[in-house]
Amino acid sequence: MPITSPYSPVDVRPELSAEEFYAEYVNKKPVLMPGALAELPAAQRWSLPYLASIAPDLPVRLKTGRVAEGKTTTVRLDDYSKTVTAWEQRGSDDVERPAYLHDVPLLTFIPELRQDLEPFPGHLFPAFFRDNWAVFPQFFVGPSQAVTTLHFDTLLTHNLFFQLDGSKRFVMVANEDRDRCYTYNWRWAEVNPEDPDYDRHPDFRGVRVMEARVQAGDLFYMPPGTLHQVSSLSSSVSFNIDWHDKVSALRGIAAVRHGMPRQNLRYNLLLALGVYGRVPLKVLMPALRSYFTYIS
């Protein structure tokens, strides 16, 4: 008999126009778009060894231990690739899993990767993000079994997730149930949605948990505030773009009244100037640059 999941599946839409995307999903619910990126050269070429072959000496900052702790170390990209490859080939749990290349703007450091992402699906973004899309990707590159524990995106942005190599599993809780997830430090949650401790976290009982498995070539959307725990099912290369529309930009500014750090308010105000006021990115970028290079 097939194994049934205890989690609710997300909608799966292989073909989704921009009009349908905004009408049915933006600011509403997650959706998986399988194969939406399959024709991109990146979906056919990218892997960690491929990235390392282009920029072997690039120093990259890795997250060690639990991602939420923010501990880092810096290595050459080629050395990191060799470490991950050797660990995957060993297939043993008796050696510590390699660190995680997490939330890094690789297109800034390796601009030639951009050609592998054309034609880019910019029609899914508001004009401010569509016209400047190459500035916004934050990359996640690492081994199988890498886990980012339950959290939501810090600016309460929309999240469009691009899986180019390997596969990942998302376990999610909707924004309206955030107060039942025992959050701390603004964006992190104590609850493990896959193995909740109801003695410690009784309010989590009855919370609806969603699941999505994202494969190479897939595009995946999550609305603002969606809490998500992400597990790498294989070594993988992916990135996301966090973006605002007019609705989420205002909500992101108002969130300072509910505990959002004031530094985040500054970033959201700047992005709102782009979305609402059409202030050019080149004007805003000096003040935004620290957001694209921070360790979350």
Side-chain angles (χ1 to χ4, degrees):
M1 296 179 62
I3 298 174
T4 59
S5 170
Y7 311 116
S8 301
V10 302
D11 284 4
V12 178
R13 298 287 298 272
E15 296 183 9
L16 191 64
S17 68
E19 293 75 17
E20 292 169 326
F21 178 56
Y22 277 84
E24 299 178 38
Y25 296 103
V26 171
N27 286 308
K28 297 180 179 73
K29 58 182 178 178
V31 61
L32 175 63
M33 294 165 266
L37 309 171
E39 299 304 315
L40 289 181
Q44 302 165 33
R45 297 174 183 168
W46 283 11
S47 65
L48 177 50
Y50 175 81
L51 301 182
S53 72
I54 297 174
D57 295 321
L58 177 70
V60 290
R61 189 160 46 169
L62 311 175
K63 290 186 178 177
T64 60
R66 296 178 69 250
V67 169
E69 296 171 352
K71 297 178 181 178
T72 67
T73 186
T74 300
V75 301
R76 293 172 63 248
L77 183 56
D78 188 55
D79 291 337
Y80 180 55
S81 175
K82 291 175 180 175
T83 297
V84 171
T85 299
W87 188 83
E88 297 288 351
Q89 292 174 344
R90 186 178 294 114
S92 172
D93 293 332
D94 61 358
V95 178
E96 184 178 2
R97 185 179 68 247
Y100 196 5
L101 181 58
H102 183 283
D103 248 356
V104 176
L106 278 186
L107 283 189
T108 301
F109 305 138
I110 316 176
E112 53 265 48
L113 290 177
R114 177 172 176 169
Q115 64 189 5
D116 289 343
L117 294 169
E118 299 284 3
F120 189 75
H123 63 290
L124 297 177
F125 295 94
F128 177 76
F129 293 89
R130 178 174 64 244
D131 296 344
N132 307 289
W133 69 264
V135 173
F136 297 104
Q138 295 289 100
F139 278 71
F140 307 88
V141 183
S144 57
Q145 302 180 37
V147 177
T148 304
T149 55
L150 193 66
H151 68 288
F152 60 88
D153 296 326
T154 188
L155 299 187
L156 294 178
T157 42
H158 303 269
N159 186 328
L160 200 58
F161 192 88
F162 297 68
Q163 188 71 31
L164 283 313
D165 179 55
S167 58
K168 290 190 170 182
R169 177 170 175 262
F170 285 73
V171 177
M172 295 157 286
V173 176
N175 178 58
E176 52 263 32
D177 285 325
R178 186 198 312 174
D179 291 343
R180 300 170 66 183
C181 293
Y182 299 84
T183 55
Y184 65 96
N185 291 347
W186 173 235
R187 63 187 301 230
W188 299 97
E190 293 181 8
V191 171
N192 178 355
E194 300 186 67
D195 186 22
D197 182 342
Y198 294 122
D199 290 333
R200 291 183 58 206
H201 307 126
D203 290 346
F204 193 74
R205 191 180 298 277
V207 167
R208 175 175 176 256
V209 180
M210 299 170 284
E211 179 186 36
R213 292 177 183 253
V214 184
Q215 310 289 336
D218 291 353
L219 190 58
F220 181 51
Y221 167 75
M222 289 181 289
T226 302
L227 293 102
H228 47 288
Q229 182 160 293
V230 188
S231 305
S232 296
L233 303 178
S234 67
S235 59
S236 67
V237 177
S238 52
F239 67 82
N240 76 333
I241 293 180
D242 292 334
W243 53 281
H244 273 311
D245 64 354
K246 291 183 177 181
V247 173
S248 65
L250 290 182
R251 192 162 49 212
I253 291 170
V256 72
R257 297 179 299 179
H258 306 289
M260 184 183 72
R262 290 198 171 273
Q263 178 71 353
N264 292 11
L265 171 62
R266 174 172 171 265
Y267 292 137
N268 275 334
L269 285 169
L270 291 166
L271 292 174
L273 287 174
V275 172
Y276 268 98
R278 300 184 181 181
V279 177
L281 180 64
K282 64 182 179 181
V283 174
L284 300 174
M285 195 61 193
L288 279 171
R289 194 172 304 281
S290 57
Y291 172 65
F292 295 109
T293 56
Y294 85 119
I295 293 293
S296 64

